[in-house]
Amino acid sequence: MMHKFEEKTIRSEKIFEGRVVRLQIDEVELPNGKTAKREIIKHPGAVAILAITPDDKIILVDQYRKPMDRALVEIPAGKLEPGEKPDVTAIRELEEETGYSCEKLELICSFYTSPGFADELIHLYLAKGLQKVENPKSADEDEFVELLEVTLEEALQLIQEKKIYDAKTLYAIQYLQLKEALNKSE
Amino acid sequence: MMHKFEEKTIRSEKIFEGRVVRLQIDEVELPNGKTAKREIIKHPGAVAILAITPDDKIILVDQYRKPMDRALVEIPAGKLEPGEKPDVTAIRELEEETGYSCEKLELICSFYTSPGFADELIHLYLAKGLQKVENPKSADEDEFVELLEVTLEEALQLIQEKKIYDAKTLYAIQYLQLKEALNKSE
């Protein structure tokens, strides 16, 4: 069904096609008949994994993020390969980034990260029943990460210190806080 | 202090400079001495506002989002103008998008939305003490939004229906759920 504010594409111009993103400019017809230009980033989508170890720690990765020129501590994440189902990506990325396999994988939720200018959709999974893989597939050769295993309290401290500073990780940590609070109030 | 995985910029090539985003490709030196290319979106940053009415409803905006070619229901948000402080942006965007001013504005947290490829930083505010502005400043002329005022339960229903489907809004709703759960467990 058409949305009342739908913006019809008049033309779409591809500006750049990269390894990760595509940039295009769409000229659109607005609901009032006028036209406008929209700068749009197309992204393959990604998964993120809230992985909980048998001793109830959260697995985090410390990595350098070039767009901000700083390191961030995040939950493990990675892009979808073409045609790959998100749960397959999640299992692959968990093994590549952390060396763990998991017995139980459950979708928490999915969300667009920057709907104003990008179509990136992240699927957030909860992984439990973790087991160390003997010869784990290794990560992309241009990816350098350090693993951390932290308690919920330690994760909250990393948020205070602004080392954890991205939407998916903040959402995942808050998800655990909510779960804990709901358990207590039962 | 230098991070152990720091990626030094060898050169940076500007591909596109738009009204909202800039795209550049940075060639970097990796920790192992090899080089890699990073596709980077530069964004001015944004604010989002969790605005609670005197009768405890959440203000949401229903708008068309061209990158996904669909409508989304989100909390009010908007880009920072050059040199504008985030709390000033928050007050301006709240008035422009909803017609409300607020007596109390409090930063909940800030987060990068897509640290793998973009530097967009969103500052999320809690706005209370809302009052209808008589002649509110109007929104950007290419912005068409419909206002909703919903209870927390109704917001959770919108999440179920995937009408609410973006990171900042999911985080904000979960923040309210956590607050409510913590109140109950006290």
Side-chain angles (χ1 to χ4, degrees):
Chain A
M1 203 185 71
M2 210 188 101
H3 191 264
K4 58 186 167 303
F5 298 141
E6 180 164 338
E7 299 181 351
K8 274 176 240 155
T9 309
I10 298 168
R11 69 178 64 82
S12 182
E13 186 192 356
K14 188 174 81 179
I15 305 291
F16 173 80
E17 175 102 51
R19 213 168 44 93
V20 181
V21 298
R22 184 176 76 202
L23 170 62
Q24 65 191 48
I25 300 188
D26 286 6
E27 193 179 336
V28 299
E29 187 186 322
L30 300 173
N32 63 4
K34 291 188 180 177
T35 62
K37 288 194 175 178
R38 302 286 182 226
E39 299 162 13
I40 294 172
I41 302 293
K42 291 284 183 175
H43 185 280
V47 300
I49 307 115
L50 175 56
I52 308 294
T53 65
D55 59 340
D56 236 22
K57 300 249 177 97
I58 306 158
I59 302 186
L60 298 173
V61 294
D62 183 2
Q63 64 189 315
Y64 197 76
R65 291 301 208 174
K66 189 63 194 150
M68 284 73 64
D69 267 315
R70 58 161 289 186
L72 286 175
V73 175
E74 301 169 47
I75 54 173
K79 285 188 302 293
L80 298 183
E81 298 294 339
E84 194 179 39
K85 282 191 183 166
D87 54 347
V88 176
T89 316
I91 291 165
R92 178 176 58 73
E93 285 289 342
L94 182 65
E95 179 172 335
E96 286 178 6
E97 286 206 353
T98 72
Y100 278 109
S101 67
C102 69
E103 278 171 6
K104 214 182 126 193
L105 188 74
E106 178 194 319
L107 183 69
I108 296 176
C109 64
S110 305
F111 42 73
Y112 293 109
T113 55
S114 301
F117 69 93
D119 73 344
E120 185 194 28
L121 180 65
I122 288 187
H123 305 282
L124 174 64
Y125 288 91
L126 178 65
K128 289 196 161 178
L130 299 191
Q131 290 179 320
K132 274 278 172 203
V133 177
E134 277 200 25
N135 294 299
K137 280 172 245 146
S138 63
D140 300 340
E141 63 163 19
D142 65 349
E143 233 177 47
F144 296 83
V145 306
E146 184 175 44
L147 290 185
L148 307 172
E149 297 190 4
V150 304
T151 62
L152 179 54
E153 256 89 76
E154 287 164 342
L156 294 173
Q157 184 58 34
L158 287 168
I159 292 173
Q160 285 300 319
E161 294 166 9
K162 298 194 178 179
K163 288 178 180 164
I164 291 178
Y165 206 40
D166 76 297
K168 66 180 176 307
T169 308
L170 284 173
Y171 182 89
I173 303 295
Q174 190 177 244
Y175 170 86
L176 290 178
Q177 285 182 282
L178 175 59
K179 242 178 146 173
E180 197 177 273
L182 290 174
N183 277 341
K184 271 192 197 149
S185 69
E186 259 168 22
Chain B
M1 203 186 68
M2 209 189 103
H3 191 264
K4 59 187 165 304
F5 298 142
E6 182 164 338
E7 300 181 351
K8 277 177 237 153
T9 308
I10 298 168
R11 68 179 63 82
S12 182
E13 185 192 355
K14 188 174 82 178
I15 305 290
F16 173 79
E17 175 103 49
R19 211 168 44 93
V20 180
V21 298
R22 185 175 76 202
L23 170 63
Q24 66 191 46
I25 299 187
D26 284 9
E27 192 179 336
V28 300
E29 187 187 322
L30 300 174
N32 64 3
K34 292 188 180 176
T35 61
K37 288 195 173 175
R38 302 287 183 222
E39 300 163 12
I40 295 172
I41 302 294
K42 291 284 185 178
H43 184 281
V47 299
I49 308 116
L50 175 56
I52 309 294
T53 65
D55 58 343
D56 236 21
K57 299 255 177 93
I58 306 158
I59 301 186
L60 297 172
V61 294
D62 182 2
Q63 65 190 314
Y64 197 76
R65 290 302 207 174
K66 189 64 192 148
M68 283 74 63
D69 266 316
R70 58 161 289 185
L72 287 174
V73 175
E74 301 168 47
I75 54 173
K79 284 188 303 293
L80 300 181
E81 298 293 338
E84 193 179 41
K85 283 191 181 166
D87 56 345
V88 175
T89 316
I91 290 164
R92 178 176 59 73
E93 285 289 343
L94 182 65
E95 179 172 335
E96 287 179 6
E97 285 206 353
T98 73
Y100 279 108
S101 67
C102 68
E103 277 171 5
K104 214 181 126 194
L105 188 74
E106 178 193 319
L107 183 69
I108 296 176
C109 64
S110 306
F111 42 74
Y112 292 110
T113 54
S114 302
F117 67 94
D119 73 345
E120 185 194 28
L121 181 65
I122 288 188
H123 305 281
L124 174 63
Y125 288 91
L126 179 66
K128 288 195 161 180
L130 299 192
Q131 290 179 321
K132 273 279 172 203
V133 177
E134 275 199 29
N135 294 300
K137 283 174 243 145
S138 62
D140 300 340
E141 63 162 21
D142 66 349
E143 233 176 45
F144 296 82
V145 306
E146 184 176 43
L147 289 185
L148 306 172
E149 298 190 3
V150 304
T151 62
L152 178 54
E153 256 89 77
E154 287 164 340
L156 294 173
Q157 183 58 35
L158 288 167
I159 292 174
Q160 285 299 318
E161 295 166 8
K162 299 193 176 178
K163 287 178 181 166
I164 291 178
Y165 207 41
D166 77 297
K168 65 178 177 309
T169 307
L170 283 174
Y171 183 90
I173 303 295
Q174 192 177 244
Y175 171 86
L176 290 179
Q177 285 182 282
L178 175 59
K179 242 179 148 172
E180 198 178 272
L182 290 174
N183 278 340
K184 271 191 198 151
S185 69
E186 260 169 17

